[in-house]
């Protein structure tokens, strides 16, 4: 039988690490649990925020984009890696878009009104997302940060990926399935837990990170679920892909 000290250690880990909570409840408390679980606590994400990352010193920067349609968000994200003598750490930033004709949210209500006013959420005209604005954001990251590789889901963004190729980018297909998501998602969660995955003070990305719900398949592979997440997660999806 496990010792009391071991159980306390495992319980403490379950509190600090949401992705471990289901395993603790299932195997140590002998209770049935759902296959879905909340992955990122808002407090943990905010504790990792850094507004002064020097992107010019990043060892590697990779981008990704997740496209939505009429009632969805679209996001472009970049993730950088910094290697120092003492540690390796990561940082991310993103831009977010939605159309003014969205039918399922009031953009003049909070928190959306503040996000739009402060420039964190870019609202495009019409009833569908303006993908030229998304493209401009990607090209901006290419110019400003020297990003060349961008990951995307070929199911809904193949055309934009092809267009980027004509601008000197290297588009890389990222199929959104459990086997593809499992390793980068678990790695990102481990870096967040260790305080080595930083974001800027982007409130939209923080909101999306706190909405993220993951699902484990029969092989124990973890992947994000848009259907089970409490709200939009497009930005954090782009971060995971990058």
């Amino acid at each position: 039988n496990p010792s009391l000290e071991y159980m306390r250690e495992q319980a403490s880990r379950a509190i600090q690490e949401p992705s471990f909570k289901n395993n603790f409840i299932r195997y140590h408390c002998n209770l049935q649990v759902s296959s879905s679980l909340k992955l990122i606590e808002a407090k943990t994400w905010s504790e990792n925020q850094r507004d002064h990352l020097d992107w010019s010193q990043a060892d590697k920067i990779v981008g990704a984009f997740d496209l939505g349609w009429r009632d969805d968000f679209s996001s472009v994200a970049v993730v950088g890696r910094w290697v120092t003598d003492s540690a390796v750490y990561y940082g991310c930033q993103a831009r977010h878009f939605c159309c003014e004709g969205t039918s399922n949210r009031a953009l003049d209500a909070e928190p959306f009104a503040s996000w739009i006013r402060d420039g964190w959420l870019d609202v495009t005209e019409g009833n569908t997302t303006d993908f030229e604005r998304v493209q401009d954001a990607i090209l901006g990251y290419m110019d400003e940060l020297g990003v060349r590789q961008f990951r995307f889901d070929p199911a809904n963004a193949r055309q934009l990926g092809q267009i980027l190729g004509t601008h000197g980018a290297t588009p890389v297909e990222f199929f959104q399935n459990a086997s593809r998501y499992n390793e980068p998602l678990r790695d990102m969660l481990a870096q967040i837990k260790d305080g080595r995955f930083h974001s800027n003070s982007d409130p939209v990305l923080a909101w999306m990170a706190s909405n993220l719900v993951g699902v484990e398949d029969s092989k124990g592979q973890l992947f994000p679920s848009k259907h089970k997440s409490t709200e939009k997660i497009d930005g954090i999806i782009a971060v995971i892909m990058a």
Side-chain angles (χ1 to χ4, degrees):
N1 293 330
S3 67
L4 180 59
E5 181 181 358
Y6 174 80
M7 290 293 288
R8 284 173 173 163
E9 290 175 352
Q10 296 299 292
S12 177
R13 181 183 172 189
I15 292 171
Q16 298 174 16
E17 192 176 336
S19 60
F20 179 72
K21 184 176 180 180
N22 271 14
N23 284 343
F24 175 77
I25 294 173
R26 180 187 303 159
Y27 298 117
H28 295 302
C29 303
N30 198 29
L31 295 173
Q32 185 174 359
V33 296
S34 168
S35 62
S36 61
L37 59 158
K38 181 178 175 63
L39 296 180
I40 302 173
E41 295 294 340
K43 181 176 182 292
T44 305
W45 184 265
S46 66
E47 290 172 347
N48 278 276
Q49 289 181 345
R50 304 288 188 277
D51 279 320
H52 303 293
L53 292 173
D54 185 353
W55 287 83
S56 68
Q57 297 301 309
D59 171 67
K60 181 80 172 179
I61 306 175
V62 173
F65 50 92
D66 188 62
L67 301 185
W69 302 101
R70 176 170 179 170
D71 288 327
D72 208 353
F73 281 61
S74 293
S75 295
V76 180
V78 291
V79 173
R81 181 183 66 192
W82 285 259
V83 180
T84 69
D85 293 337
S86 58
V88 176
Y89 64 95
Y90 300 83
C92 68
Q93 60 173 276
R95 290 192 59 186
H96 315 281
F97 305 82
C98 73
C99 64
E100 64 181 5
T102 180
S103 61
N104 63 354
R105 64 187 72 246
L107 297 179
D108 57 351
E110 296 297 343
F112 306 104
S114 291
W115 294 347
I116 295 167
R117 182 194 65 231
D118 296 339
W120 295 109
L121 178 60
D122 190 347
V123 178
T124 67
E125 297 179 356
N127 295 322
T128 57
T129 302
D130 184 349
F131 292 139
E132 287 191 8
R133 294 270 279 278
V134 178
Q135 177 182 314
D136 288 344
I138 295 171
L139 296 177
Y141 278 133
M142 291 177 64
D143 291 338
E144 296 163 17
L145 302 180
V147 190
R148 286 296 174 267
Q149 187 181 119
F150 285 87
R151 315 280 173 83
F152 68 98
D153 178 10
N156 69 353
R158 188 181 301 274
Q159 183 177 358
L160 181 52
Q162 292 172 344
I163 292 172
L164 292 176
T166 67
H167 289 273
T170 303
V172 177
E173 294 183 348
F174 188 109
F175 293 92
Q176 297 194 348
N177 54 49
S179 62
R180 190 66 183 86
Y181 269 121
N182 182 62
E183 184 176 356
L185 176 54
R186 289 190 184 277
D187 189 33
M188 185 191 74
L189 294 175
Q191 305 298 343
I192 293 173
K193 176 178 177 290
D194 291 342
R196 294 192 287 121
F197 194 96
H198 307 305
S199 68
N200 57 8
S201 53
D202 177 350
V204 184
L205 186 59
W207 173 67
M208 291 178 175
S210 70
N211 294 335
L212 183 63
V213 168
V215 175
E216 284 188 331
D217 67 8
S218 59
K219 298 179 181 179
Q221 297 179 127
L222 183 65
F223 60 99
S225 172
K226 288 189 174 182
H227 297 297
K228 294 192 176 184
S229 296
T230 56
E231 250 285 7
K232 298 303 181 184
I233 60 172
D234 306 80
I236 196 67
I237 288 290
V239 168
I240 298 165
M241 292 167 67

